[in-house]
Amino acid sequence: MSDSFPNPDIQQELNAFFSQEEFIAFFDFYLPGSGGKMLNGLCKVARPADGHSVNYLCLTFVVDTPNDEAEKQIERLLAKFDLKALREQLPSLQSLTSVPASMRHSENYVHQMDLIFPKDKDLDLREVVPMLLFSLRKATGFKTESPQWWDEVSLDAPKPTEAEKANWGNRLKAIFKAVGKK
């Protein structure tokens, strides 16, 4: 996020809202092709810390896009990973936001989705995350690796990238629109 944000209070609010997220898992995915893997990516799964005002999971897709065609292809495929595709496995899903990062035309494409659940819905993440992978495979044709849980790896959970931080304003607007707040 730029330090030249017009209203510094907005930047502080965004930082406060999204700094509560904790990364819980990640998985690799790819699109198989005749010459091997056509698209390679990583998806990070995060959730807000306890006591947050919105019950959601954030999926951050980071995909290698060496050219414009790869970027267009990932956009088309992620468009298929929509509310209808997710509700087949997660019927309690209330809403979905889908926000590509505004930093475009680089070697990586970043796209964030927030899956919003009822506030009182407890999520068993060990069940929900595999359902997400199944839904992603079914909707897009991607192959996925098994999820890796942050509590199983000795590494510290990653910090949000500059592209992710630059996208926080768009994500926040989309989340509040999805939950009916203005």
Side-chain angles (χ1 to χ4, degrees):
M1 198 169 333
S2 168
D3 287 331
S4 63
F5 223 42
N7 180 351
D9 291 338
I10 293 173
Q11 186 171 2
Q12 290 173 353
E13 287 178 32
L14 289 173
N15 287 335
F17 188 88
F18 289 112
S19 67
Q20 301 292 322
E21 286 185 344
E22 57 184 7
F23 289 99
I24 55 170
F26 67 94
F27 61 91
D28 292 316
F29 63 94
Y30 65 92
L31 185 65
S34 58
K37 298 177 180 179
M38 294 175 47
L39 287 174
N40 288 302
L42 172 83
C43 180
K44 298 185 284 184
V45 183
R47 69 172 175 194
D50 290 337
H52 203 277
S53 61
V54 181
N55 186 15
Y56 68 92
L57 290 178
C58 176
L59 306 180
T60 299
F61 294 91
V62 181
V63 184
D64 296 334
T65 52
N67 55 49
D68 286 341
E69 182 52 40
E71 187 172 309
K72 289 176 187 168
Q73 187 175 24
I74 189 63
E75 287 174 341
R76 285 190 304 268
L77 289 170
L78 287 178
K80 295 178 180 181
F81 190 51
D82 59 11
L83 190 59
K84 180 181 176 191
L86 284 159
R87 276 196 176 145
E88 287 182 25
Q89 295 298 314
L90 298 166
S92 66
L93 182 62
Q94 189 175 343
S95 188
L96 170 72
T97 69
S98 184
V99 183
S102 56
M103 300 172 103
R104 304 292 281 250
H105 303 296
S106 65
E107 17 182 282
N108 293 312
Y109 174 80
V110 177
H111 193 110
Q112 296 179 290
M113 295 181 172
D114 291 294
L115 288 67
I116 301 168
F117 295 88
K119 177 112 174 88
D120 60 347
K121 174 72 175 164
D122 285 330
L123 301 176
D124 182 344
L125 298 173
R126 298 286 176 157
E127 289 182 16
V128 171
V129 171
M131 289 180 204
L132 294 172
L133 274 66
F134 176 80
S135 298
L136 180 68
R137 290 190 302 264
K138 185 175 177 186
T140 64
F142 280 123
K143 300 294 182 191
T144 60
E145 303 292 330
S146 296
Q148 301 297 309
W149 301 93
W150 291 120
D151 60 354
E152 291 179 0
V153 294
S154 60
L155 304 174
D156 289 333
K159 302 293 181 214
T161 65
E162 289 306 311
E164 291 171 58
K165 288 180 182 180
N167 206 33
W168 282 355
N170 293 331
R171 277 186 61 208
L172 189 64
K173 283 186 232 172
I175 289 171
F176 282 118
K177 182 178 178 184
V179 296
K181 297 179 181 179
K182 300 199 185 219

